[in-house]
Amino acid sequence: MKKLISCIALFACIFTYTGCNEMEDDGSRGFMSDATIVGDSENGYYCYLDHGGLVISYSRELADKERGYFSFNYMENDWTTAPNGLKYIDNAHVYASQEYDVIHPITQKEAEAKHITDKDSCFVPSFLSVDYPSNGYFDINARFATVIKEKEENIYGEVNIVYDAAKQDPDTLRLQLCYNPHIPDGWSKVGNISRTVSCDISSLASLQQWNDSVTIVIDDADKGQYIRKIRKNDFLKPTVKVD
């Protein structure tokens, strides 16, 4: 809902051909999107949009950003065409509306050694949803944070994605989600709030000789399975090169 409201507001004021305060079109444009960020301030931050498209920015705001939900503000004449015909937006102003924490899959053996998969440490949070994979990541949204009344603060729980290499096959990637809220003893759990975590699956690109189409299955013993399709190339992260 927050994304929807932000998007509506931004489109109303920027994306239309008339600004909020002026009747004439000054060429300014804008939109919001989930994106993967690679690059640096010197050579440019390459912002790959989840549903296709590329925006290049030199905004210092993007330093150390990897995944998130961003606002993109640019001028109409910032559209550029590469020699290979690719159209992209160059030199946009980009701001992070929400930065996602990034996690990396760990093996079943490693998870067991760290007691991550122990019954009292591995929970499936409520209101879980899994977005479609893109650019080497997929996003997971759930109530991954706990509101603690005593301290008037939120505690971010630990999120892990676990895989067993022996249980994979060329057309199916099977994963286990483990969430540990890490609520301190003696503190009352007042409620939970939603949080988005992004899982970097690029390290799994060489786990199998994947088929062109792969089904990601995240098991939930209580509520069934969360299934998403991915292309083999979607295991790969984008580059900073425009041909």
Side-chain angles (χ1 to χ4, degrees), residues 78-89:
D78 287 335
W79 278 103
T80 303
T81 302
N84 66 353
L86 173 68
K87 292 184 180 294
Y88 62 95
I89 299 170

Side-chain angles (χ1 to χ4, degrees), residues 14-31:
I14 302 176
F15 191 66
T16 57
Y17 282 90
T18 56
C20 286
N21 298 315
E22 298 181 8
M23 296 301 295
E24 295 183 2
D25 178 19
D26 63 359
S28 62
R29 304 287 185 263
F31 62 92

Side-chain angles (χ1 to χ4, degrees), residues 8-230:
I8 292 173
L10 192 63
F11 268 97
C13 293
I14 302 176
F15 191 66
T16 57
Y17 282 90
T18 56
C20 286
N21 298 315
E22 298 181 8
M23 296 301 295
E24 295 183 2
D25 178 19
D26 63 359
S28 62
R29 304 287 185 263
F31 62 92
M32 302 187 76
S33 175
D34 292 292
T36 298
I37 312 296
V38 294
D40 53 52
S41 59
E42 182 178 352
N43 299 303
Y45 294 102
Y46 284 55
C47 311
Y48 286 86
L49 312 182
D50 276 12
H51 299 290
L54 170 64
V55 178
I56 299 178
S57 175
Y58 296 88
S59 299
R60 296 185 181 275
E61 163 76 11
L62 296 178
D64 301 320
K65 301 288 192 301
E66 187 172 351
R67 281 283 300 167
Y69 187 63
F70 301 90
S71 67
F72 298 87
N73 305 300
Y74 64 100
M75 301 299 292
E76 181 65 22
N77 59 11
D78 287 335
W79 278 103
T80 303
T81 302
N84 66 353
L86 173 68
K87 292 184 180 294
Y88 62 95
I89 299 170
D90 196 10
N91 199 29
H93 295 283
V94 183
Y95 304 92
S97 174
Q98 184 180 2
E99 183 180 359
Y100 301 155
D101 289 334
V102 175
I103 61 174
H104 300 83
I106 60 175
T107 65
Q108 185 75 32
K109 183 177 180 180
E110 182 182 355
E112 290 174 356
K114 295 180 178 180
H115 302 286
I116 289 172
T117 51
D118 290 356
K119 188 175 181 179
D120 59 351
S121 301
C122 183
F123 304 95
V124 175
S126 57
F127 296 95
L128 174 67
S129 64
V130 181
D131 287 344
Y132 288 92
S134 177
N135 295 319
Y137 300 82
F138 68 85
D139 300 331
I140 311 168
N141 186 268
R143 292 188 172 178
F144 287 132
T146 304
V147 180
I148 302 298
K149 182 177 181 180
E150 289 88 340
K151 294 290 185 177
E152 296 185 352
E153 64 182 24
N154 303 328
I155 293 180
Y156 288 165
E158 179 184 359
V159 184
N160 283 285
I161 290 290
V162 182
Y163 70 95
D164 185 343
K167 293 183 178 180
Q168 312 303 323
D169 56 67
D171 61 4
T172 307
L173 171 61
R174 294 180 173 85
L175 304 171
Q176 179 184 7
L177 172 66
C178 281
Y179 169 61
N180 189 338
H182 286 302
I183 302 172
D185 294 337
W187 286 15
S188 300
K189 185 175 71 170
V190 177
N192 305 105
I193 58 176
S194 293
R195 172 179 166 226
T196 298
V197 174
S198 193
C199 181
D200 179 350
I201 56 173
S202 61
S203 63
L204 303 180
S206 59
L207 184 64
Q208 273 276 343
Q209 293 294 325
W210 299 110
N211 290 336
D212 289 338
S213 178
V214 180
T215 300
I216 295 180
V217 177
I218 300 178
D219 289 315
D220 180 344
D222 296 327
K223 300 179 181 178
Q225 298 176 329
Y226 296 85
I227 298 176
R228 290 291 180 262
K229 290 286 189 179
I230 183 174

